[in-house]
Amino acid sequence: MKKLLLILALLSADSFAAAKNFCDEVKRIRVWANGSDTYGVWAELKNNPSQCPGGFYLNHNATNKQFIYSLILAAKASNQRICFQVYDVNSKIENRCRIHYTMHE
């Protein structure tokens, strides 16, 4: 019973993990036009955090992909900092973290 309670406690802690924000200037943006690519938008910051060393991505079929891409592109074009919110830095594709939320600083 104690083992079961410990497992449930560990699973609950992971389920309610706090969001993390990473902010910096955009170094590079890659965008795929169509197809079944893994990431539709892939952005790298000038100093990617150690939790997301390959940068950040949006799924190709993300609902607001065009809006997020516009924010990233505007930040890059104006040399402004942008912030990416990530919920689970352990849930990556290769070494890239999935973007949950994006904002300008």
Side-chain angles (χ1 to χ4, degrees), residues 13-90:
D14 287 341
S15 299
F16 297 108
K20 295 187 188 304
N21 294 319
F22 302 105
C23 305
D24 202 350
E25 290 183 33
V26 178
K27 176 181 178 180
R28 183 176 16 245
I29 308 167
R30 295 177 178 97
V31 181
W32 284 259
N34 56 34
S36 60
D37 58 288
T38 305
Y39 8 82
V41 176
W42 172 11
E44 295 175 76
L45 298 176
K46 288 191 175 178
N47 297 294
N48 286 328
S50 61
Q51 298 95 323
C52 310
F56 303 85
Y57 76 94
L58 283 171
N59 290 339
H60 182 70
N61 60 355
T63 305
N64 291 322
K65 185 175 89 174
Q66 292 83 3
F67 299 122
I68 301 298
Y69 173 63
S70 295
L71 284 172
I72 298 169
L73 186 60
K76 173 71 175 156
S78 61
N79 295 317
Q80 297 295 312
R81 289 170 52 95
I82 193 164
C83 298
F84 297 125
Q85 184 183 79
V86 175
Y87 266 122
D88 186 3
V89 295
N90 296 318

